[in-house]
Amino acid sequence: MTNKLPPVYFYLPQADWTDDMTDNADTYWVGFRRGVYCWTLQTYLRLNASGFPCQLISTLPDEGIILAHWDSLPPDLQPGPKQMIVCFQADRARHPYAQIHVVQNPLALSLKTMTLGDRFLLPGDRYFLPLWPQPGLIPRDPSRGDRFENIAFFGLEENIVPELRTASWREQLANLGLNWRVVSDFDLWNNYSEIDAILAIRSFGRQEYSWKPASKLYNAWHAGVPAILGYDSAFRHERKSELDYLEVLSLADTLQALAKLQGNSELRRNIIQNGRCRAVETFPTELTKRWQTFLEAVAIPAYHRWCTSPNLVKKSFLLRRRLAIQTKDSRKNLQKLRNRFGIRSRLKSLIPKA
């Protein structure tokens, strides 16, 4: 640590320290499939390798900036007068007492994703940072050239739309001369060497999945393969052109997108080249810079404000958080009623327009 910076800690509970835990974020380690490792451990390894002063710890310190995954933080953990808790929210809810949350989807910053009353009862900052791309990723083998045969989904089969889990789906792809692969083996999640395109569709329709990251898209760019994706808000946030990925809302759309790619090798080459350019934005070196900026411009100033704030301010913060916990269920029920009867829209309609 330096005299200019407060101590910065990445907290990983002792129970999560394994004998095979990697010390290199550039190698493929199956442990990175878990949030506590791909957020806490990988971020620490990247920052530490860059020379940023930080420590990986197994016990909570009495003071300093404490960065940890939601799963690692006890729900009743309250910050002390010299503690700043930065929670990696991932696809969880907000931690009751963390002063700052790092989210993996920018839509999570929107007030519309908050429960009624959270805006007032859960004070604190939220900050978007992309999840790291797959460590140790093996890109598509260039020797495959313009071959278009193997279509894959990387992940657990339960996380793909049900229509793509059927024998009928496999038959339809076989009729197109395509092979369908569900890569659910953790040991192969980094290997795109024989893949010609990926599918990642949680559901058909327009569900936004405000808590999910754009990792499938980042990995496709880095792997050099076209991506056919659903309506996820994380994907749409990243989209700058039609070459970034093909969006589908139905089974018919999906088959049409595959036929489009299959019949147009030039389009595939353009998508792959565009992906190489877009992948630069999520190179580990670039994301490490963003993390340094976050710590220096957001977390450290917030830490100093917290440490120097009057006790009354700290007590007010904790009181509002306790009220948020105690009223959570009732506020959710009120929100459901409001949404059901469109109360908010009706009230807005009564306000005269300027």
Side-chain angles (χ1 to χ4, degrees), residues 49-78:
S50 75
F52 190 91
C54 57
Q55 295 180 27
L56 183 67
I57 58 173
S58 59
T59 56
L60 288 167
D62 293 330
E63 63 178 88
I65 298 173
I66 304 164
L67 300 103
H69 190 276
W70 189 95
D71 290 354
S72 301
L73 296 170
D76 58 351
L77 176 65
Q78 301 182 24

PDB file of all heavy atoms in Angstrom, residues 49-78:
ATOM      1  N   ALA A  49      -1.351  -7.360 -11.091  1.00  0.00           N
ATOM      2  CA  ALA A  49      -0.350  -7.507 -12.155  1.00  0.00           C
ATOM      3  C   ALA A  49      -0.020  -6.171 -12.809  1.00  0.00           C
ATOM      4  O   ALA A  49       1.087  -5.974 -13.315  1.00  0.00           O
ATOM      5  CB  ALA A  49      -0.837  -8.505 -13.198  1.00  0.00           C
ATOM      6  N   SER A  50      -0.994  -5.256 -12.794  1.00  0.00           N
ATOM      7  CA  SER A  50      -0.780  -3.935 -13.401  1.00  0.00           C
ATOM      8  C   SER A  50       0.013  -3.007 -12.491  1.00  0.00           C
ATOM      9  O   SER A  50       0.391  -1.907 -12.904  1.00  0.00           O
ATOM     10  CB  SER A  50      -2.120  -3.289 -13.745  1.00  0.00           C
ATOM     11  OG  SER A  50      -2.775  -2.799 -12.573  1.00  0.00           O
ATOM     12  N   GLY A  51       0.227  -3.420 -11.248  1.00  0.00           N
ATOM     13  CA  GLY A  51       0.960  -2.596 -10.298  1.00  0.00           C
ATOM     14  C   GLY A  51       0.084  -1.775  -9.380  1.00  0.00           C
ATOM     15  O   GLY A  51       0.598  -1.020  -8.539  1.00  0.00           O
ATOM     16  N   PHE A  52      -1.247  -1.936  -9.505  1.00  0.00           N
ATOM     17  CA  PHE A  52      -2.142  -1.183  -8.621  1.00  0.00           C
ATOM     18  C   PHE A  52      -2.066  -1.783  -7.215  1.00  0.00           C
ATOM     19  O   PHE A  52      -2.182  -3.003  -7.052  1.00  0.00           O
ATOM     20  CB  PHE A  52      -3.575  -1.232  -9.128  1.00  0.00           C
ATOM     21  CG  PHE A  52      -4.499  -0.281  -8.412  1.00  0.00           C
ATOM     22  CD1 PHE A  52      -4.687   1.002  -8.877  1.00  0.00           C
ATOM     23  CD2 PHE A  52      -5.164  -0.670  -7.249  1.00  0.00           C
ATOM     24  CE1 PHE A  52      -5.528   1.887  -8.210  1.00  0.00           C
ATOM     25  CE2 PHE A  52      -5.996   0.197  -6.577  1.00  0.00           C
ATOM     26  CZ  PHE A  52      -6.179   1.491  -7.061  1.00  0.00           C
ATOM     27  N   PRO A  53      -1.873  -0.963  -6.190  1.00  0.00           N
ATOM     28  CA  PRO A  53      -1.707  -1.500  -4.831  1.00  0.00           C
ATOM     29  C   PRO A  53      -3.003  -2.069  -4.265  1.00  0.00           C
ATOM     30  O   PRO A  53      -3.972  -1.341  -4.037  1.00  0.00           O
ATOM     31  CB  PRO A  53      -1.239  -0.284  -4.024  1.00  0.00           C
ATOM     32  CG  PRO A  53      -1.745   0.897  -4.782  1.00  0.00           C
ATOM     33  CD  PRO A  53      -1.728   0.505  -6.233  1.00  0.00           C
ATOM     34  N   CYS A  54      -3.039  -3.365  -4.080  1.00  0.00           N
ATOM     35  CA  CYS A  54      -4.227  -4.031  -3.534  1.00  0.00           C
ATOM     36  C   CYS A  54      -3.800  -5.366  -2.951  1.00  0.00           C
ATOM     37  O   CYS A  54      -2.717  -5.868  -3.241  1.00  0.00           O
ATOM     38  CB  CYS A  54      -5.307  -4.215  -4.600  1.00  0.00           C
ATOM     39  SG  CYS A  54      -4.771  -5.128  -6.065  1.00  0.00           S
ATOM     40  N   GLN A  55      -4.673  -5.949  -2.129  1.00  0.00           N
ATOM     41  CA  GLN A  55      -4.372  -7.228  -1.493  1.00  0.00           C
ATOM     42  C   GLN A  55      -5.578  -8.156  -1.600  1.00  0.00           C
ATOM     43  O   GLN A  55      -6.727  -7.701  -1.566  1.00  0.00           O
ATOM     44  CB  GLN A  55      -4.035  -7.040  -0.015  1.00  0.00           C
ATOM     45  CG  GLN A  55      -2.773  -6.257   0.256  1.00  0.00           C
ATOM     46  CD  GLN A  55      -2.507  -6.127   1.742  1.00  0.00           C
ATOM     47  OE1 GLN A  55      -2.912  -6.965   2.537  1.00  0.00           O
ATOM     48  NE2 GLN A  55      -1.826  -5.051   2.133  1.00  0.00           N
ATOM     49  N   LEU A  56      -5.297  -9.449  -1.701  1.00  0.00           N
ATOM     50  CA  LEU A  56      -6.328 -10.481  -1.628  1.00  0.00           C
ATOM     51  C   LEU A  56      -6.311 -11.029  -0.211  1.00  0.00           C
ATOM     52  O   LEU A  56      -5.276 -11.484   0.271  1.00  0.00           O
ATOM     53  CB  LEU A  56      -6.046 -11.596  -2.641  1.00  0.00           C
ATOM     54  CG  LEU A  56      -7.081 -12.718  -2.723  1.00  0.00           C
ATOM     55  CD1 LEU A  56      -8.404 -12.194  -3.283  1.00  0.00           C
ATOM     56  CD2 LEU A  56      -6.555 -13.860  -3.600  1.00  0.00           C
ATOM     57  N   ILE A  57      -7.472 -10.992   0.452  1.00  0.00           N
ATOM     58  CA  ILE A  57      -7.523 -11.371   1.864  1.00  0.00           C
ATOM     59  C   ILE A  57      -8.625 -12.399   2.110  1.00  0.00           C
ATOM     60  O   ILE A  57      -9.555 -12.540   1.312  1.00  0.00           O
ATOM     61  CB  ILE A  57      -7.757 -10.136   2.763  1.00  0.00           C
ATOM     62  CG1 ILE A  57      -9.062  -9.433   2.349  1.00  0.00           C
ATOM     63  CG2 ILE A  57      -6.579  -9.174   2.677  1.00  0.00           C
ATOM     64  CD1 ILE A  57      -9.470  -8.303   3.293  1.00  0.00           C
ATOM     65  N   SER A  58      -8.521 -13.096   3.238  1.00  0.00           N
ATOM     66  CA  SER A  58      -9.507 -14.124   3.578  1.00  0.00           C
ATOM     67  C   SER A  58     -10.318 -13.762   4.820  1.00  0.00           C
ATOM     68  O   SER A  58     -11.249 -14.476   5.176  1.00  0.00           O
ATOM     69  CB  SER A  58      -8.808 -15.472   3.803  1.00  0.00           C
ATOM     70  OG  SER A  58      -7.852 -15.371   4.854  1.00  0.00           O
ATOM     71  N   THR A  59      -9.946 -12.672   5.493  1.00  0.00           N
ATOM     72  CA  THR A  59     -10.710 -12.195   6.651  1.00  0.00           C
ATOM     73  C   THR A  59     -10.997 -10.708   6.465  1.00  0.00           C
ATOM     74  O   THR A  59     -10.183  -9.980   5.884  1.00  0.00           O
ATOM     75  CB  THR A  59      -9.945 -12.405   7.963  1.00  0.00           C
ATOM     76  OG1 THR A  59      -8.667 -11.753   7.874  1.00  0.00           O
ATOM     77  CG2 THR A  59      -9.738 -13.876   8.241  1.00  0.00           C
ATOM     78  N   LEU A  60     -12.123 -10.266   6.976  1.00  0.00           N
ATOM     79  CA  LEU A  60     -12.530  -8.873   6.783  1.00  0.00           C
ATOM     80  C   LEU A  60     -11.684  -7.950   7.656  1.00  0.00           C
ATOM     81  O   LEU A  60     -11.556  -8.172   8.871  1.00  0.00           O
ATOM     82  CB  LEU A  60     -14.012  -8.709   7.128  1.00  0.00           C
ATOM     83  CG  LEU A  60     -14.998  -9.313   6.122  1.00  0.00           C
ATOM     84  CD1 LEU A  60     -16.394  -9.380   6.716  1.00  0.00           C
ATOM     85  CD2 LEU A  60     -15.009  -8.498   4.830  1.00  0.00           C
ATOM     86  N   PRO A  61     -11.126  -6.878   7.066  1.00  0.00           N
ATOM     87  CA  PRO A  61     -10.320  -5.929   7.835  1.00  0.00           C
ATOM     88  C   PRO A  61     -11.209  -4.903   8.538  1.00  0.00           C
ATOM     89  O   PRO A  61     -12.382  -4.737   8.202  1.00  0.00           O
ATOM     90  CB  PRO A  61      -9.471  -5.258   6.756  1.00  0.00           C
ATOM     91  CG  PRO A  61     -10.367  -5.266   5.547  1.00  0.00           C
ATOM     92  CD  PRO A  61     -11.159  -6.548   5.631  1.00  0.00           C
ATOM     93  N   ASP A  62     -10.645  -4.203   9.485  1.00  0.00           N
ATOM     94  CA  ASP A  62     -11.397  -3.194  10.232  1.00  0.00           C
ATOM     95  C   ASP A  62     -11.502  -1.874   9.495  1.00  0.00           C
ATOM     96  O   ASP A  62     -12.363  -1.050   9.828  1.00  0.00           O
ATOM     97  CB  ASP A  62     -10.729  -2.946  11.598  1.00  0.00           C
ATOM     98  CG  ASP A  62     -10.819  -4.161  12.507  1.00  0.00           C
ATOM     99  OD1 ASP A  62     -11.803  -4.913  12.373  1.00  0.00           O
ATOM    100  OD2 ASP A  62      -9.896  -4.364  13.327  1.00  0.00           O
ATOM    101  N   GLU A  63     -10.631  -1.660   8.514  1.00  0.00           N
ATOM    102  CA  GLU A  63     -10.695  -0.416   7.755  1.00  0.00           C
ATOM    103  C   GLU A  63     -10.186  -0.638   6.345  1.00  0.00           C
ATOM    104  O   GLU A  63      -9.497  -1.622   6.068  1.00  0.00           O
ATOM    105  CB  GLU A  63      -9.885   0.679   8.436  1.00  0.00           C
ATOM    106  CG  GLU A  63      -8.395   0.412   8.543  1.00  0.00           C
ATOM    107  CD  GLU A  63      -7.672   1.577   9.191  1.00  0.00           C
ATOM    108  OE1 GLU A  63      -7.591   1.589  10.435  1.00  0.00           O
ATOM    109  OE2 GLU A  63      -7.207   2.473   8.460  1.00  0.00           O
ATOM    110  N   GLY A  64     -10.588   0.271   5.449  1.00  0.00           N
ATOM    111  CA  GLY A  64     -10.155   0.189   4.065  1.00  0.00           C
ATOM    112  C   GLY A  64     -11.326  -0.041   3.119  1.00  0.00           C
ATOM    113  O   GLY A  64     -12.490  -0.142   3.533  1.00  0.00           O
ATOM    114  N   ILE A  65     -11.007  -0.107   1.838  1.00  0.00           N
ATOM    115  CA  ILE A  65     -11.996  -0.392   0.797  1.00  0.00           C
ATOM    116  C   ILE A  65     -12.036  -1.903   0.597  1.00  0.00           C
ATOM    117  O   ILE A  65     -11.019  -2.523   0.285  1.00  0.00           O
ATOM    118  CB  ILE A  65     -11.628   0.328  -0.511  1.00  0.00           C
ATOM    119  CG1 ILE A  65     -11.638   1.845  -0.301  1.00  0.00           C
ATOM    120  CG2 ILE A  65     -12.598  -0.053  -1.626  1.00  0.00           C
ATOM    121  CD1 ILE A  65     -11.135   2.645  -1.493  1.00  0.00           C
ATOM    122  N   ILE A  66     -13.202  -2.486   0.795  1.00  0.00           N
ATOM    123  CA  ILE A  66     -13.368  -3.943   0.740  1.00  0.00           C
ATOM    124  C   ILE A  66     -14.229  -4.292  -0.468  1.00  0.00           C
ATOM    125  O   ILE A  66     -15.411  -3.956  -0.513  1.00  0.00           O
ATOM    126  CB  ILE A  66     -14.032  -4.466   2.027  1.00  0.00           C
ATOM    127  CG1 ILE A  66     -13.222  -4.031   3.260  1.00  0.00           C
ATOM    128  CG2 ILE A  66     -14.187  -5.982   1.973  1.00  0.00           C
ATOM    129  CD1 ILE A  66     -14.005  -4.160   4.557  1.00  0.00           C
ATOM    130  N   LEU A  67     -13.637  -4.933  -1.454  1.00  0.00           N
ATOM    131  CA  LEU A  67     -14.355  -5.343  -2.658  1.00  0.00           C
ATOM    132  C   LEU A  67     -14.631  -6.832  -2.581  1.00  0.00           C
ATOM    133  O   LEU A  67     -13.712  -7.631  -2.351  1.00  0.00           O
ATOM    134  CB  LEU A  67     -13.551  -5.015  -3.914  1.00  0.00           C
ATOM    135  CG  LEU A  67     -13.212  -3.541  -4.133  1.00  0.00           C
ATOM    136  CD1 LEU A  67     -11.757  -3.283  -3.762  1.00  0.00           C
ATOM    137  CD2 LEU A  67     -13.470  -3.109  -5.563  1.00  0.00           C
ATOM    138  N   ALA A  68     -15.896  -7.220  -2.774  1.00  0.00           N
ATOM    139  CA  ALA A  68     -16.251  -8.636  -2.647  1.00  0.00           C
ATOM    140  C   ALA A  68     -17.524  -8.940  -3.422  1.00  0.00           C
ATOM    141  O   ALA A  68     -18.376  -8.066  -3.625  1.00  0.00           O
ATOM    142  CB  ALA A  68     -16.441  -9.010  -1.173  1.00  0.00           C
ATOM    143  N   HIS A  69     -17.640 -10.178  -3.835  1.00  0.00           N
ATOM    144  CA  HIS A  69     -18.854 -10.665  -4.497  1.00  0.00           C
ATOM    145  C   HIS A  69     -19.994 -10.751  -3.484  1.00  0.00           C
ATOM    146  O   HIS A  69     -19.775 -10.982  -2.290  1.00  0.00           O
ATOM    147  CB  HIS A  69     -18.571 -12.046  -5.100  1.00  0.00           C
ATOM    148  CG  HIS A  69     -19.647 -12.560  -5.999  1.00  0.00           C
ATOM    149  ND1 HIS A  69     -20.771 -13.212  -5.528  1.00  0.00           N
ATOM    150  CD2 HIS A  69     -19.771 -12.534  -7.358  1.00  0.00           C
ATOM    151  CE1 HIS A  69     -21.533 -13.566  -6.549  1.00  0.00           C
ATOM    152  NE2 HIS A  69     -20.956 -13.171  -7.670  1.00  0.00           N
ATOM    153  N   TRP A  70     -21.201 -10.582  -3.953  1.00  0.00           N
ATOM    154  CA  TRP A  70     -22.398 -10.650  -3.103  1.00  0.00           C
ATOM    155  C   TRP A  70     -22.407 -11.935  -2.277  1.00  0.00           C
ATOM    156  O   TRP A  70     -22.754 -11.919  -1.093  1.00  0.00           O
ATOM    157  CB  TRP A  70     -23.642 -10.567  -3.988  1.00  0.00           C
ATOM    158  CG  TRP A  70     -24.946 -10.419  -3.275  1.00  0.00           C
ATOM    159  CD1 TRP A  70     -25.619  -9.271  -3.005  1.00  0.00           C
ATOM    160  CD2 TRP A  70     -25.772 -11.487  -2.749  1.00  0.00           C
ATOM    161  NE1 TRP A  70     -26.804  -9.530  -2.352  1.00  0.00           N
ATOM    162  CE2 TRP A  70     -26.912 -10.884  -2.182  1.00  0.00           C
ATOM    163  CE3 TRP A  70     -25.651 -12.871  -2.704  1.00  0.00           C
ATOM    164  CZ2 TRP A  70     -27.925 -11.636  -1.584  1.00  0.00           C
ATOM    165  CZ3 TRP A  70     -26.653 -13.618  -2.104  1.00  0.00           C
ATOM    166  CH2 TRP A  70     -27.769 -12.998  -1.554  1.00  0.00           C
ATOM    167  N   ASP A  71     -22.029 -13.049  -2.892  1.00  0.00           N
ATOM    168  CA  ASP A  71     -22.053 -14.341  -2.192  1.00  0.00           C
ATOM    169  C   ASP A  71     -21.089 -14.381  -1.010  1.00  0.00           C
ATOM    170  O   ASP A  71     -21.252 -15.208  -0.106  1.00  0.00           O
ATOM    171  CB  ASP A  71     -21.698 -15.472  -3.154  1.00  0.00           C
ATOM    172  CG  ASP A  71     -22.780 -15.728  -4.187  1.00  0.00           C
ATOM    173  OD1 ASP A  71     -23.863 -15.108  -4.102  1.00  0.00           O
ATOM    174  OD2 ASP A  71     -22.540 -16.537  -5.114  1.00  0.00           O
ATOM    175  N   SER A  72     -20.071 -13.519  -1.017  1.00  0.00           N
ATOM    176  CA  SER A  72     -19.057 -13.542   0.035  1.00  0.00           C
ATOM    177  C   SER A  72     -19.404 -12.659   1.220  1.00  0.00           C
ATOM    178  O   SER A  72     -18.745 -12.751   2.266  1.00  0.00           O
ATOM    179  CB  SER A  72     -17.703 -13.094  -0.541  1.00  0.00           C
ATOM    180  OG  SER A  72     -17.299 -13.922  -1.600  1.00  0.00           O
ATOM    181  N   LEU A  73     -20.404 -11.807   1.062  1.00  0.00           N
ATOM    182  CA  LEU A  73     -20.728 -10.828   2.101  1.00  0.00           C
ATOM    183  C   LEU A  73     -21.921 -11.290   2.929  1.00  0.00           C
ATOM    184  O   LEU A  73     -23.003 -11.498   2.377  1.00  0.00           O
ATOM    185  CB  LEU A  73     -21.042  -9.469   1.464  1.00  0.00           C
ATOM    186  CG  LEU A  73     -19.887  -8.811   0.709  1.00  0.00           C
ATOM    187  CD1 LEU A  73     -20.387  -7.603  -0.067  1.00  0.00           C
ATOM    188  CD2 LEU A  73     -18.772  -8.411   1.674  1.00  0.00           C
ATOM    189  N   PRO A  74     -21.761 -11.457   4.237  1.00  0.00           N
ATOM    190  CA  PRO A  74     -22.924 -11.782   5.076  1.00  0.00           C
ATOM    191  C   PRO A  74     -24.013 -10.721   4.907  1.00  0.00           C
ATOM    192  O   PRO A  74     -23.703  -9.523   4.823  1.00  0.00           O
ATOM    193  CB  PRO A  74     -22.344 -11.755   6.500  1.00  0.00           C
ATOM    194  CG  PRO A  74     -20.877 -11.984   6.319  1.00  0.00           C
ATOM    195  CD  PRO A  74     -20.517 -11.332   5.018  1.00  0.00           C
ATOM    196  N   PRO A  75     -25.273 -11.124   4.825  1.00  0.00           N
ATOM    197  CA  PRO A  75     -26.348 -10.142   4.583  1.00  0.00           C
ATOM    198  C   PRO A  75     -26.487  -9.097   5.676  1.00  0.00           C
ATOM    199  O   PRO A  75     -27.017  -8.015   5.434  1.00  0.00           O
ATOM    200  CB  PRO A  75     -27.601 -11.016   4.472  1.00  0.00           C
ATOM    201  CG  PRO A  75     -27.247 -12.300   5.148  1.00  0.00           C
ATOM    202  CD  PRO A  75     -25.790 -12.490   4.914  1.00  0.00           C
ATOM    203  N   ASP A  76     -26.009  -9.414   6.880  1.00  0.00           N
ATOM    204  CA  ASP A  76     -26.127  -8.458   7.972  1.00  0.00           C
ATOM    205  C   ASP A  76     -24.829  -7.682   8.212  1.00  0.00           C
ATOM    206  O   ASP A  76     -24.690  -6.982   9.219  1.00  0.00           O
ATOM    207  CB  ASP A  76     -26.549  -9.166   9.265  1.00  0.00           C
ATOM    208  CG  ASP A  76     -25.570 -10.276   9.673  1.00  0.00           C
ATOM    209  OD1 ASP A  76     -24.672 -10.599   8.860  1.00  0.00           O
ATOM    210  OD2 ASP A  76     -25.712 -10.807  10.788  1.00  0.00           O
ATOM    211  N   LEU A  77     -23.874  -7.796   7.288  1.00  0.00           N
ATOM    212  CA  LEU A  77     -22.609  -7.085   7.439  1.00  0.00           C
ATOM    213  C   LEU A  77     -22.825  -5.581   7.254  1.00  0.00           C
ATOM    214  O   LEU A  77     -23.259  -5.137   6.193  1.00  0.00           O
ATOM    215  CB  LEU A  77     -21.595  -7.593   6.416  1.00  0.00           C
ATOM    216  CG  LEU A  77     -20.252  -6.860   6.391  1.00  0.00           C
ATOM    217  CD1 LEU A  77     -19.496  -7.067   7.697  1.00  0.00           C
ATOM    218  CD2 LEU A  77     -19.410  -7.301   5.187  1.00  0.00           C
ATOM    219  N   GLN A  78     -22.534  -4.800   8.278  1.00  0.00           N
ATOM    220  CA  GLN A  78     -22.670  -3.352   8.223  1.00  0.00           C
ATOM    221  C   GLN A  78     -21.294  -2.706   8.250  1.00  0.00           C
ATOM    222  O   GLN A  78     -20.417  -3.128   9.000  1.00  0.00           O
ATOM    223  CB  GLN A  78     -23.495  -2.851   9.408  1.00  0.00           C
ATOM    224  CG  GLN A  78     -24.897  -3.432   9.468  1.00  0.00           C
ATOM    225  CD  GLN A  78     -25.700  -2.887  10.633  1.00  0.00           C
ATOM    226  OE1 GLN A  78     -25.441  -1.805  11.135  1.00  0.00           O
ATOM    227  NE2 GLN A  78     -26.706  -3.648  11.062  1.00  0.00           N
TER     228      GLN A  78
END
